[in-house]
Amino acid sequence: MYAFQIDPAFASGSVAAVDWPLCHVRVQDDARFPWLILIPRRPGLHELEDLDPAGRAALVEEVVRAGQYVREIGALTGNPVEKLNIAALGNVTAQLHVHVVGRRHDDGLWPDPVWGRGAASPYGAPVLQRILSGLRLSGAG
């Protein structure tokens, strides 16, 4: 067995935010969409079925928690979330991870998916710092 490591692909475009009981949480640095990525901190995971039932249940709870925070990011950035998109794609990065993305009917890509569409628009340091601070204040557990 080897230790948990984050696929280096996540370093491009997202920022480490906090560790929750199961997942390492990252903020996608794209101001077009409030967006978190949850990566279960267990080695060798590629599919949901690789988690045991307790791990799957914990992941669902953390996805719900992430959705609540994505809504807070939307409010903070003036982009209130109307719909959450939740997906564990893995086509580009095989390591098990879940995207939680806030969407709006006027977000520019609606109703299409956001993955791989258009250039990201980084938040800028002050806004990103407020987002990260809020997540860290939400607690690690």
Side-chain angles (χ1 to χ4, degrees):
M1 193 73 156
Y2 53 94
F4 168 75
Q5 293 182 351
I6 295 169
D7 188 301
F10 289 110
S12 173
S14 69
V15 178
V18 68
D19 285 332
W20 287 344
L22 175 64
C23 293
H24 170 71
V25 180
R26 301 184 70 84
V27 174
Q28 186 73 14
D29 191 10
D30 188 347
R32 298 176 302 161
F33 313 101
W35 186 338
L36 296 178
I37 302 169
L38 282 65
I39 307 167
R41 293 188 331 269
R42 296 189 183 158
L45 301 180
H46 296 287
E47 304 292 346
L48 289 171
E49 65 197 30
D50 296 337
L51 282 168
D52 61 21
R56 288 192 297 268
L59 180 58
V60 167
E61 291 304 313
E62 290 188 10
V63 165
V64 170
R65 182 179 182 184
Q68 294 166 341
Y69 199 75
V70 161
R71 290 182 189 284
E72 290 180 30
I73 294 170
L76 172 75
T77 59
N79 295 309
V81 172
E82 297 172 357
K83 176 71 177 114
L84 292 172
N85 288 179
I86 300 168
L89 301 173
N91 296 347
V92 174
T93 306
Q95 182 175 26
L96 179 61
H97 61 287
V98 177
H99 297 270
V100 181
V101 185
R103 300 296 306 273
R104 299 173 46 91
H105 287 88
D106 62 356
D107 70 22
L109 289 179
W110 186 271
D112 296 333
V114 300
W115 295 273
R117 300 285 308 276
S121 176
Y123 281 109
V127 174
L128 186 58
Q129 210 42 38
R130 287 195 343 238
I131 292 168
L132 292 171
S133 294
L135 264 170
R136 290 174 183 146
L137 287 173
S138 74

